[in-house]
Amino acid sequence: GDFEKSEGWLDWYDGPSTPTFRLPEGSVDAHCHVFGPGGQFPYAPQRKYTPCDASADQLFALRDQLGFDRNVIVQATCHGSDNRALVDALQRSGGRARGVATVRRDVTDDQLAELHEAGVRGVRFNFVKRLVDRVPTDSLEEIVAKIAPLGWHVVIYFEAEDLPELYDFFSSIPTDLVVDHMGRPDVTKDPDGPEFELFLRFMRENTNVWTKVSCPERLSVTGPRALEGEQHAYRDVVPFARRVVEEFPSRVLWGTDWPHPNLKDHMPDDGLLVDYIPQIAATSELQRQLLVDNPRRLYWPEGV
Ligand SMILES: O=C(O)/C=C(\C=C(/O)C(=O)O)C(=O)O
């Protein structure tokens, strides 16, 4: 049918392993998606890929199996600014999910109020060129002005090579600003080198900036296989993520990124991704901040 998934798209991992690492009580999967079903929630005509359907019920089953308590569900580009699938999932969650939506510059205050009522607490802007026709620099400023009364924050997704030209613009955003997947560092480079240093400087100079130390499977060249005797899946990503967690322990978040859109070479076992966490957050204090305190402060500030 019209919603055939993209060529080469891998189905998400059916039957993920149960993690060895026990998530702390109240942990939040702070980056995940729901897609479709395409017949009920059509994908955006201008999308760059067509995902497999991935429902709220399947997301919540994964949440329970992995040991998370809550989700932050993030609008992906395949649904554009049609947030109906996201809102449906939030309404089904019984208050255990919050959302990050995508809106256009002509969004009305009533539409924003409806999204807030459903549990949306932020807006997402995608600067990854393969995912959008044009980067949303102009609409971002207008939308930031509209969401200010709601106290929402901004989530941005960009690639490390684009940070130099976007640095000043991103530094001018007045809200809390959450960077997806550490701004996608090239992990074949030196974690102490100039490229990652620019991202660390961005976080040092802008104390409103948070980042998700998620998606090693997107960044890794060494991949999911742990060498004999070594415990590190995605071992080439560990130094980058660990550095961020240890320098900015109160401004990091973590998520599965289920159902992992656009992965072509392998589909990660979500249980394995959870077992990666202690490599990058080595103490129970850091784990609690990463998985419980920080996402709760940002998405459930009312403390429920
Ligand atoms: O889901 C992710 O976080 C990563 C990807 C996709 C999107 O963010 C999206 O379509 O909005 C990607 O790297 O392709």
Side-chain angles (χ1 to χ4, degrees):
D2 176 35
F3 297 112
E4 285 306 305
K5 62 193 180 191
S6 298
E7 179 61 33
W9 172 284
L10 298 172
D11 268 337
W12 33 271
Y13 208 89
D14 196 11
S17 55
T18 299
T20 314
F21 172 57
R22 271 184 60 76
L23 290 162
E25 195 64 37
S27 285
V28 180
D29 178 350
H31 187 92
C32 49
H33 309 282
V34 287
F35 292 152
Q40 185 184 359
F41 301 116
Y43 296 108
Q46 74 277 17
R47 65 186 178 278
K48 298 298 185 200
Y49 65 91
T50 301
C52 58
D53 290 347
S55 72
D57 291 344
Q58 289 160 327
L59 176 65
F60 298 152
L62 179 74
R63 173 199 66 195
D64 296 344
Q65 185 193 334
L66 297 179
F68 285 101
D69 177 50
R70 304 194 179 182
N71 295 92
V72 177
I73 307 173
V74 175
Q75 182 81 345
T77 56
C78 53
H79 274 304
S81 57
D82 179 348
N83 298 287
R84 282 177 293 166
L86 168 61
V87 167
D88 176 68
L90 296 178
Q91 289 169 341
R92 288 164 175 267
S93 76
R96 294 174 67 187
R98 288 282 195 255
V100 179
T102 296
V103 299
R104 294 201 312 262
R105 61 202 317 169
D106 62 358
V107 65
T108 67
D109 291 345
D110 286 351
Q111 289 166 338
L112 290 173
E114 269 173 47
L115 289 170
H116 189 86
E117 179 59 28
V120 171
R121 293 295 182 271
V123 284
R124 185 160 186 251
F125 297 87
N126 212 308
F127 289 80
V128 175
K129 293 188 177 70
R130 63 178 157 86
L131 292 169
V132 292
D133 290 324
R134 51 195 298 279
V135 292
T137 318
D138 46 0
S139 60
L140 189 150
E141 289 176 312
E142 280 186 58
I143 291 164
V144 162
K146 289 188 168 181
I147 65 171
L150 292 165
W152 289 8
H153 59 275
V154 167
V155 176
I156 51 178
Y157 188 30
F158 61 85
E159 291 170 295
E161 64 191 22
D162 295 328
L163 182 54
E165 69 179 284
L166 289 165
Y167 192 100
D168 294 342
F169 173 71
F170 286 158
S171 297
S172 72
I173 296 171
T175 66
D176 276 328
L177 181 62
V178 182
V179 176
D180 285 339
H181 321 325
M182 301 183 287
R184 291 189 67 103
D186 176 349
V187 298
T188 65
K189 293 184 178 172
D190 179 353
D192 297 320
E195 182 187 82
F196 199 55
E197 180 53 31
L198 183 66
F199 178 68
L200 296 172
R201 179 157 73 84
F202 180 55
M203 287 197 72
R204 278 185 211 117
E205 290 182 353
N206 300 283
T207 54
N208 60 316
V209 173
W210 308 48
T211 192
K212 297 169 191 170
V213 285
S214 44
C215 283
E217 73 284 1
R218 292 188 181 284
L219 307 174
S220 178
V221 172
T222 56
R225 280 159 301 287
L227 288 182
E228 200 53 43
E230 269 205 24
Q231 66 236 22
H232 289 184
Y234 309 117
R235 64 186 177 283
D236 50 350
V237 185
V238 170
F240 293 81
R242 191 172 179 133
R243 180 84 178 270
V244 175
V245 170
E246 290 174 356
E247 185 166 348
F248 309 104
S250 65
R251 291 191 270 146
V252 286
L253 304 167
W254 192 87
T256 56
D257 193 34
W258 186 89
H260 313 281
N262 296 313
L263 285 186
K264 299 280 192 285
D265 62 349
H266 80 286
M267 182 50 69
D269 170 348
D270 296 281
L272 180 75
L273 289 179
V274 170
D275 281 339
Y276 162 83
I277 294 171
Q279 318 296 340
I280 63 171
T283 68
S284 53
E285 166 63 19
L286 288 172
Q287 290 158 10
R288 210 199 57 250
Q289 286 183 277
L290 173 67
L291 294 159
V292 184
D293 299 351
N294 299 345
R296 294 289 180 116
R297 191 168 80 250
L298 191 57
Y299 289 97
W300 283 271
E302 67 281 10
V304 290

